[in-house]
Amino acid sequence: MVESKHQWKAWLYLSPAIVLLLIFTVWPIINTVYISFLEGYNTMGAAAGIQYEFGFANYVNVIDYKEFVTCLTNTMLLCVLTVPLSTILALLIAVCLNAIKPLQKLLQTIFFLPYVTNSIAIGMVFAAMFNVIELSPGVIESPGIINNLLGLFGVDPIKWVTVGSSYWANIAVMVIYIVWNALPFKILILLGGLQSVNKQYYDAAKVDGTSRARVFTRITVPLLSPMLAYVVITGFIGGFKEYSSIVGIFGDDMGPTGEPFRLNTMVGFIYRAIEGSHVGRASAAALILFGIILIVTLINLYVSKKKTHY
């Protein structure tokens, strides 16, 4: 507890961080809320001195915009598919890593590498892996690395990211990439939780002859429930902000050639509105996205209170 006569020193030391937070975090949030209610607001008009009426027109325009439903559907679908899958895989990998003693540090480093690698660069690598090169329609010159592997099991080449690829093929590529990219952080959190678990629980289960499956479901998962709740909540928050991974694989068009913005997300919708100087629409979309994330987070928190053991 800082003595009252020395509190001014604490405030002095904190003042640079507080000032930066006010300028670069608090003020932009307040300004975004304000602009979202200025009907038809855009940067060019504001620079020309046009006065805008206060209302909900930007929110109506966002919801009525033809791409809004597509962006929201893509965002929700990627979240629903990737968060549970990545969490389950991260839990299994963390349990396996915790049980391995030789080369444990090396394996941890290898699994953590994707987290410190540029997502755009990784996306370009994935695009090359799933790419199919055609000399002409129906005449394939190179089926790509993934199709070559699938060919070993008798699977015909699939157009994953190229012209003529199906929507679900595109989604499959995105799910694989997002899950792979999300694993390192979740593995790190869950592995840290596993290493802090009291070994007496496992020793008692071993004495009782408890099966590994029962140890996993009755000891490991309940004791890791706070970490699992954390990675699920942060996973949904990150999933709703998905953007760079799609750009890395499909480029700025966020879809295969000839079908631009097929995989556009809510964040992509916001960026496109900003590029078109429709800042009012972008601000309204950002607050709608914030509201969706808040609702999902509150639901997750409510469920985790019922299932989390501390």
Side-chain angles (χ1 to χ4, degrees), residues 135-290:
L135 292 174
S136 60
V139 181
I140 296 177
E141 178 184 15
S142 174
I145 297 174
I146 300 300
N147 279 326
N148 282 331
L149 292 175
L150 292 176
L152 298 176
F153 301 94
V155 179
D156 294 331
I158 299 171
K159 294 182 178 180
W160 297 101
V161 297
T162 53
V163 179
S165 58
S166 69
Y167 173 77
W168 290 108
N170 299 159
I171 289 293
V173 175
M174 291 312 310
V175 168
I176 293 171
Y177 170 74
I178 294 171
V179 168
W180 181 81
N181 198 38
L183 281 177
F185 176 74
K186 295 184 178 182
I187 291 172
L188 179 68
I189 298 297
L190 296 176
L191 186 59
L194 280 170
Q195 292 176 346
S196 64
V197 172
N198 193 326
K199 304 303 179 185
Q200 291 180 351
Y201 295 107
Y202 295 108
D203 293 338
K206 188 175 182 180
V207 170
D208 292 338
T210 309
S211 65
R212 290 186 178 182
R214 192 168 179 82
V215 168
F216 178 77
T217 57
R218 297 297 183 180
I219 297 178
T220 302
V221 172
L223 291 176
L224 281 181
S225 57
M227 280 66 75
L228 287 170
Y230 173 75
V231 297
V232 168
I233 290 171
T234 55
F236 272 106
I237 292 173
F240 276 106
K241 297 189 294 182
E242 199 62 58
Y243 174 73
S244 59
S245 58
I246 301 173
V247 172
I249 292 179
F250 293 97
D252 291 338
D253 286 345
M254 300 188 75
T257 304
E259 297 187 62
F261 306 110
R262 174 195 272 182
L263 296 180
N264 199 7
T265 59
M266 287 297 296
V267 174
F269 179 93
I270 294 168
Y271 283 155
R272 287 196 66 203
I274 293 174
E275 290 173 359
S277 299
H278 301 295
V279 181
R281 182 191 298 166
S283 299
L287 287 179
I288 290 173
L289 179 59
F290 169 77

Side-chain angles (χ1 to χ4, degrees), residues 47-63:
I50 297 176
Q51 299 295 320
Y52 296 95
E53 294 184 3
F54 203 78
F56 295 90
N58 288 324
Y59 292 91
V60 175
N61 289 337
V62 168
I63 295 173

